[in-house]
Amino acid sequence: MNRFRAATVVAFALSAALAAAAAAAQQPQEEVSPALQAAVEEAKARLKLTPEQEAQLKVLRQERNEALKAIRDRHAGDRSRRARRAMFREAEPVIENYQARVRTILDESQYAEWEKMRAEARDRLKERYKEGSLPE
């Protein structure tokens, strides 16, 4: 897999995982898996978000999740390599826009921690990819 495609796959998978986490975080507490709730709480704690930042990020996540869901829905049912590449190409600007907008909300130390969290998530996804267990 070339470097660009690998980065796009990882970015899309990361966004899908974050979208699932964000969706789960919006459900009533009893419906959220303990692991997912722990991940959301860890992110809040590690970034030390203010209530205002948390609200701003929630809006960004919702917009991003809706855009990514629309992309996934357009390509639902087509498992061809061409369709998956098209889906990744469509998702890339959505993800890049989200990252740029997050950058404007977080301060320098929070953004540095955000980047560490993203690197950790990429590493986990790479391991899952090697094991053949990437999310659908």
Side-chain angles (χ1 to χ4, degrees):
M1 190 178 316
N2 71 33
R3 187 179 178 137
F4 172 76
R5 200 164 112 210
T8 303
V9 168
V10 170
F12 190 73
L14 175 60
S15 289
L18 290 173
Q26 294 169 4
Q27 295 176 2
Q29 223 34 39
E30 62 274 4
E31 293 181 30
V32 177
S33 77
L36 207 44
Q37 185 61 34
V40 169
E41 292 303 319
E42 178 189 7
K44 283 196 234 179
R46 284 179 66 177
L47 296 175
K48 297 177 179 75
L49 298 173
T50 66
E52 183 178 289
Q53 288 173 316
E54 197 172 332
Q56 290 172 326
L57 287 173
K58 182 178 180 181
V59 170
L60 290 183
R61 278 192 312 263
Q62 288 172 336
E63 291 172 1
R64 184 215 44 215
N65 293 351
E66 290 170 8
L68 292 176
K69 183 180 182 326
I71 292 168
R72 283 191 305 271
D73 289 349
R74 274 196 300 279
H75 295 279
D78 189 350
R79 302 298 231 168
S80 71
R81 182 177 271 177
R82 177 175 287 163
R84 290 183 83 66
R85 274 187 259 154
M87 183 172 62
F88 293 139
R89 278 193 301 273
E90 286 180 53
E92 189 173 29
V94 172
I95 295 164
E96 288 174 358
N97 180 45
Y98 172 73
Q99 294 301 332
R101 292 173 69 192
V102 165
R103 178 69 185 103
T104 66
I105 294 171
L106 302 177
D107 66 28
E108 291 299 318
S109 63
Q110 289 172 317
Y111 190 72
E113 188 64 25
W114 171 264
E115 287 297 318
K116 286 181 192 175
M117 292 169 61
R118 289 183 63 212
E120 292 166 7
R122 277 191 299 271
D123 291 343
R124 285 190 304 272
L125 284 168
K126 285 177 187 176
E127 285 302 313
R128 289 180 68 187
Y129 181 80
K130 288 178 186 175
E131 295 168 359
S133 63
L134 273 181
E136 287 297 315

